[in-house]
Amino acid sequence: MSRLGIAVIVPTYNNHKTLQRVLDGMLAYTDQIIVVNDGSTDGTSQILTAYPQLHHITFPENKGKGMALRSGLKKAKDLGFKYAITIDSDGQHYASDLPIFVEEISDATQPLLLIGSRNMAHESVPKKSSFGNKFSNFWFWFETGIKLSDTQSGYRAYPLEVIPARFYTRKFEFEIEIIVRSAWNGVAVKNVPIRVLYDPEERISHFRPFRDFTRISMLNTVLVFLTFFYIIPRNFIRSFKKKSLTDFVKENIFGSEDSPEKMAASIGLGVFMGIAPVWGFQTAIVIILSVFLRLNKILAFTFSNISLPPFIPIIIYGSLAVGSLLIPSVNQQSLFLPDEISFATIQSHLTQYLVGSLILATAMALLIGFGSYVLIKLRNKKTVSAD
């Protein structure tokens, strides 16, 4: 642990029945332990006086588990550690599982964020804990695409150099924020098997079902919004920039395993969204629709960029021209140079543009989508014939 730069963080709040056992168990492996006394009002302070060799952080009043962990992580980083392993002080975790984390870190070729995976089917595990874990697992997968068996365990290993530098949550929801945002930053997140002990006579839970569940639900709402409107578009733009045009065509068109129908529909969707009057939101909307319609997200995103700056004047003029065929201008004015600027004139041209752009978007999507389908089918036939 010393060679790998690993410290242990023990956040504690009114767990005087189990704290000493947890600390003694960890001391069998390392004395690089940071204890965060989160405003305990029981005998915690007296217990900690017996451990002067440890790093101590004391809050005068309770701030919440998230703040305790944030303080401990900052302390570990300031002390020069590379990893911080956190363990709850309520006695549910076994110190003897610590080598599992250390071995994973030692064998890793990239920074890992490890989460202990408990046997939630064990008879000692409260049903509410099992349900809460399944709930958390689902939303973590929804927000990151990573499937885990346990996302709520407090027995974790954090790579201090690559986790986010700033956080926004203060209570139990912090443990969700940090793993989701770390995953968004490209940090590998995985489970490692651990044991768990739920002793009703010793264990004290500070989780408040209504308040904390509400906080977690609000956080997940924000994370889901950010996933669709920032993270997914950002990731696609990044991956797109890394490829040359030739590589893109080879991999995503000629090298795609999707059917010609699916690829053509993806291209058509992209063209439609690129022309439709949703300026500024094309990328987010096209990717969301691609996900729900199970289309090729990369193709749809690429062809939505038909509205690049050089083509914008052409698209606007074409939309106005098409719209004017159905909705004549109030004063029969020029499309771009009206003699008089009035609300009626602006309203007339706006209606023309909105109607015309939707018609033009539909027509171009069908035309380019069908053309793509024909070309892809011909390409596939040539490939089969050559084989």
Side-chain angles (χ1 to χ4, degrees):
M1 292 182 67
S2 177
R3 176 177 60 84
L4 296 171
I6 302 174
V8 173
I9 299 174
V10 184
T12 186
Y13 174 59
N14 289 348
N15 287 125
H16 68 281
K17 292 182 179 180
T18 53
L19 177 60
Q20 184 174 351
R21 185 172 80 237
V22 172
L23 294 177
D24 290 341
M26 284 294 166
L27 281 169
Y29 297 93
T30 181
D31 61 355
Q32 297 303 315
I33 300 173
I34 301 170
V35 185
V36 185
N37 181 1
D38 186 18
S40 298
T41 56
D42 59 1
T44 294
S45 297
Q46 288 73 26
I47 294 173
L48 293 180
T49 58
Y51 299 92
Q53 73 275 34
L54 307 184
H55 302 281
H56 294 257
I57 299 175
T58 302
F59 295 161
E61 58 184 27
N62 181 253
K63 294 185 178 182
K65 188 179 183 182
M67 291 302 294
L69 287 170
R70 286 167 59 172
S71 179
L73 292 169
K74 182 179 183 303
K75 180 70 172 180
K77 191 172 183 180
D78 290 344
L79 291 171
F81 290 101
K82 304 299 181 183
Y83 272 87
I85 296 178
T86 62
I87 182 171
D88 293 339
S89 61
D90 60 3
Q92 68 168 295
H93 304 310
Y94 289 83
S96 55
D97 284 335
L98 189 64
I100 297 174
F101 290 89
V102 177
E103 183 176 355
E104 286 283 343
I105 294 171
S106 180
D107 294 340
T109 57
Q110 61 177 330
L112 288 177
L113 195 161
L114 304 172
I115 304 175
S117 179
R118 303 161 293 177
N119 179 12
M120 300 305 291
H122 193 275
E123 59 182 9
S124 67
V125 178
K127 290 184 179 180
K128 63 179 181 180
S129 296
S130 180
F131 169 79
N133 189 55
K134 291 178 181 178
F135 177 86
S136 180
N137 294 347
F138 169 79
W139 286 114
F140 179 76
W141 165 79
F142 196 88
E143 293 151 4
T144 66
I146 301 172
K147 288 189 176 182
L148 296 180
S149 58
D150 193 342
T151 53
Q152 287 196 316
S153 172
Y155 211 169
R156 304 180 176 193
Y158 294 107
L160 297 174
E161 296 180 342
V162 293
I163 60 175
R166 294 181 59 191
F167 300 101
Y168 303 96
T169 52
R170 305 168 64 89
K171 305 291 185 179
F172 284 100
E173 69 273 16
F174 168 80
E175 291 183 299
I176 296 174
E177 179 194 355
I178 189 172
I179 61 174
V180 171
R181 292 182 58 210
S182 294
W184 284 351
N185 289 344
V187 179
V189 183
K190 63 177 292 187
N191 284 131
V192 292
I194 61 170
R195 295 168 295 163
V196 64
L197 171 66
Y198 283 92
D199 188 339
E201 295 184 1
E202 285 189 332
R203 184 171 182 266
I204 299 176
S205 175
H206 302 291
F207 186 86
R208 298 163 299 179
F210 179 76
R211 287 188 181 182
D212 291 317
F213 188 78
T214 300
R215 286 175 177 270
I216 290 171
S217 297
M218 291 175 62
L219 173 64
N220 278 316
T221 300
V222 173
L223 293 176
V224 167
F225 179 84
L226 291 174
T227 296
F228 280 114
F229 289 94
Y230 176 67
I231 299 300
I232 293 178
R234 181 203 67 179
N235 291 346
F236 272 102
I237 292 171
R238 286 180 177 177
S239 64
F240 181 75
K241 287 181 176 180
K242 292 179 181 179
K243 297 179 181 178
S244 65
L245 179 60
T246 302
D247 291 338
F248 173 81
V249 172
K250 287 181 179 179
E251 293 178 18
N252 297 287
I253 298 181
F254 297 141
S256 174
E257 296 181 357
D258 292 332
S259 67
E261 293 82 1
K262 184 174 182 178
M263 294 173 68
S266 303
I267 292 171
L269 173 64
V271 172
F272 178 86
M273 294 309 305
I275 298 175
V278 287
W279 301 102
F281 298 96
Q282 289 101 327
T283 298
I285 295 174
V286 77
I287 292 176
I288 292 171
L289 289 175
S290 298
V291 171
F292 282 109
L293 297 175
R294 298 183 178 180
L295 298 178
N296 187 309
K297 297 181 287 294
I298 296 178
L299 283 179
F301 164 73
T302 302
F303 280 85
S304 70
N305 285 283
I306 192 173
S307 57
L308 288 171
F311 302 107
I312 290 176
I314 299 174
I315 292 173
I316 294 177
Y317 181 81
S319 299
L320 287 167
V322 171
S324 65
L325 296 176
L326 299 176
I327 306 175
S329 180
V330 174
N331 298 318
Q332 299 297 323
Q333 298 165 312
S334 167
L335 290 176
F336 291 105
L337 297 173
D339 296 328
E340 180 184 356
I341 301 297
S342 65
F343 179 76
T345 303
I346 295 173
Q347 184 180 36
S348 174
H349 286 301
L350 178 62
T351 304
Q352 287 177 332
Y353 167 70
L354 292 176
V355 173
S357 64
L358 289 174
I359 296 174
L360 181 65
T362 302
M364 293 302 295
L366 291 172
L367 179 63
I368 296 177
F370 180 73
S372 301
Y373 172 78
V374 172
L375 291 175
I376 294 169
K377 289 286 286 186
L378 290 174
R379 168 76 182 187
N380 289 349
K381 286 183 179 180
K382 290 182 179 180
T383 303
V384 171
S385 299
D387 293 340

